[in-house]
Amino acid sequence: MPNARLPQPSRRGILAAGGALGLTALLAACGDEKKSGSGKADAGDSGPWSFKDDRGTTAKQDSTPKNIVAFTSVAAALFDYGIEVKGVFGPTKTKDGKADVQAGDMDVSKVTILGNEWGKFNIEKYAGLAPDLLVSTMFDDAGTLWGVPEESKDKILKLAPSAGISVYDRQMTQPLQRLLALAESLGADVKADKVVKAKKRFEAAAERLRKVAKANKDIKVLVGSASQDIFYVSGTNLSADLEYFKSLGVNFVEPSESAKKASGGWFENLSWENVNKHAADVIMMDNRTATIQPADIEEPTWAKLPAVKAGQVIPRVTEPIYSYDKCAPILEDLADAIEKAKKVS
């Protein structure tokens, strides 16, 4: 799991025994609709569709999928390429009804939300959408689709083909390329001016970050995430964003392997009393809504950190929207922060 899921959300059974009959009826209806052509590509589309995902599994349909359901950030990436989904699962709306950071530019009022938290997934609603493709990311090498509940995955994955895009132990550029390829297979115009410009912006941002990191080698960057009782310090060897930034020369604080062992290698757990264990000049803080944001941290030890006192705390987009349009600003903001940072550690 990527960098602190704080706390790991409890998973609830989607269907009680009494709801099983209702689901069975929906599944039957779903099948009937697909046989009659509902949920298929428009009549202008011809020929079968397939996409080989990062599990090595090939998703297939008789024609290009139209009733797509995806984890929220994946849906947001597809949206940037002109592919709109019917349903999403994962953080989509905040408590005040606004779009979550993982929703990107999507109009969240126009999608069916199957679960507004990680691990929440309404199977009956999903079946009712007559899905012909489910897409999510993967944060392990076992092919686990992010946000699809383990206890109900067999029911869910029987309803439609699925595609997994790995963001585990590889650099950011790989899932960017893979999601662009998926979008193209679904009908996106990858040569559109907007897409070409976004890719060029990303490449320019990467080159700038490389130059800034080289010119500021002494600036140490710590990646953190806050919960009520624990401060998590991320290592860089599994996360696609951090692996990429490190390859560009960013000087990250690295917890020891022994310290990360309890989390499967992702991060080190610190009590708030020990939050000053690692010296840092810039702190990147997990921006997901499930975590405590810097402005809301009341621990006195946090306020005493040199980077905090210097105002050198920036958001970390822990689960990026893997489109070039959304990833370019992440690199630009990190370059700005490192370039402007004072040495305080």
Side-chain angles (χ1 to χ4, degrees), residues 264-341:
W266 288 98
F267 48 82
E268 175 184 8
N269 298 351
L270 295 178
S271 66
W272 283 103
E273 290 76 13
N274 296 316
V275 74
N276 62 351
K277 177 180 177 180
H278 300 287
D281 304 294
V282 174
I283 300 176
M284 298 177 71
M285 288 294 290
D286 190 339
N287 76 335
R288 292 176 294 180
T289 51
T291 68
I292 300 175
Q293 297 305 299
D296 300 318
I297 298 175
E298 298 178 351
E299 300 290 340
T301 49
W302 165 259
K304 293 178 182 178
L305 293 176
V308 176
K309 291 169 70 174
Q312 295 175 178
V313 179
I314 64 171
R316 178 206 176 187
V317 183
T318 307
E319 292 185 49
I321 294 168
Y322 282 100
S323 71
Y324 290 103
D325 181 71
K326 295 300 182 293
C327 286
I330 297 174
L331 273 66
E332 293 167 350
D333 292 345
L334 180 55
D336 286 344
I338 294 173
E339 190 171 51
K340 296 174 183 176

Side-chain angles (χ1 to χ4, degrees), residues 54 136-140 164-170 174-175 178:
D54 292 339
S136 190
T137 48
M138 299 182 297
F139 284 90
D140 59 29
I165 303 297
S166 181
V167 295
Y168 175 74
D169 197 16
R170 63 200 59 210
Q174 290 178 265
R178 295 293 287 140

Side-chain angles (χ1 to χ4, degrees), residues 223 234-236 239-247 252 284 316:
V223 180
S234 293
T236 62
S239 299
D241 60 333
L242 303 185
E243 282 199 15
Y244 186 52
F245 304 155
K246 185 178 180 179
S247 77
F252 284 105
M284 298 177 71
R316 178 206 176 187

